[in-house]
Amino acid sequence: MKNGIYLVASPIGNMGDISLRALEVLKNAAVIACEDSRIAKKLLSLLAISSSGKIFVIMHDHNEEETAQKVIDLALAGNIVAYISDAGSPLISDPGYKLVRLCRKQNVYLTTVPGSCAAICALQLSGLPSDKFLFAGFIPNKDKARKETLSRYKDVEATLIFYETANRLLKTLSTAADIFGRREMAVAREITKLYEECRAGTAAELAEYYAANPPKGEIVLLVAPPEEKETVDYQAELAVELQKGSLKTAVQKITEKYGLNKNEVYQAALELKNGR
Ligand code: SAM
């Protein structure tokens, strides 16, 4: 096996998902670069690989810049270096990008040992179109940033994939209901683990389900691409609804009926009301 840096994917829940190549690299590596040495040692132990004699270098989001050169130097000194994140594929919402950039500028052997990635597994399970997808990482925690992030990707003609946490899911689904209307979504939870679940529905349906069944564990959230843009001529119907009831009710009825963007319908309703 060549000396150099190996980006090694580890399982996201089921130890059986480690690859034969990953096992070989982890056994032979003199250096394990990792986010957390306790998690890395636990992984090695579950794989029946001894940690003794191996050098562990901690490389995480906050020290990657400084540590990357140290990792490269260890490889250039003739070592096999395995880089593993806490779970899944390195660099995918995990550190490693700066290390790879630095490797590109130096004459160090770099390769990938592929394996589990929650985003890809979720896409496979979701039943949503898999021909084109956009992975957008974690959804921000703050209300304004969350809304901006979901709105930014609204018109992308691909399945959207986000990482999310269990305690934020309901808030996100509520924001998603306003932005995506009746578009199909999916929540993939605890993939490859005992309580694996993948549930599809509109944001409102998923919110109702998870309000009654509080979610636990790790979560990937997916949104179907927008429908082919056939222009829905809802103006006349909206005008009738505005005569029948309040602006809020009219907007809600039309938004839900045609799966439209709430803000767009709201603007149209205001213009109709103001006689424009
Ligand atoms: N690098 C990892 C990968 O390849 O998927 C992702 C690391 S990121 C820090 C962790 C997030 O990935 C979790 O918060 C969750 O959104 C998602 N995730 C990881 N494992 C998962 C699983 N078994 N089921 C569902 N989502 C998972």
Side-chain angles (χ1 to χ4, degrees), residues 73-95:
D73 290 342
L74 283 162
L76 290 172
N79 292 299
I80 291 171
V81 180
Y83 173 59
I84 46 173
S85 55
D86 285 348
S89 296
L91 281 87
I92 310 302
S93 287
D94 267 337

Side-chain angles (χ1 to χ4, degrees), residues 80-116:
I80 291 171
V81 180
Y83 173 59
I84 46 173
S85 55
D86 285 348
S89 296
L91 281 87
I92 310 302
S93 287
D94 267 337
Y97 166 74
K98 290 176 187 152
L99 171 69
V100 172
R101 294 284 296 175
L102 209 54
C103 285
R104 291 268 152 260
K105 295 183 192 152
Q106 303 181 39
N107 196 19
V108 58
Y109 175 75
L110 170 78
T111 191
T112 177
V113 183
S116 303

Side-chain angles (χ1 to χ4, degrees), residues 9-14 35 61 85-95 115-122 135 137-138 162-166 188-193 196-197 217-221:
S10 55
I12 55 167
N14 187 324
E35 286 184 87
D61 278 337
S85 55
D86 285 348
S89 296
L91 281 87
I92 310 302
S93 287
D94 267 337
S116 303
C117 172
I120 300 299
C121 295
F135 172 63
F138 276 99
F162 299 98
Y163 284 163
E164 186 49 292
T165 60
R189 208 173 57 78
E190 293 289 88
I191 302 167
T192 74
K193 301 186 197 175
E196 178 180 290
E197 167 189 67
E218 301 199 272
I219 285 174
V220 183
L221 185 66

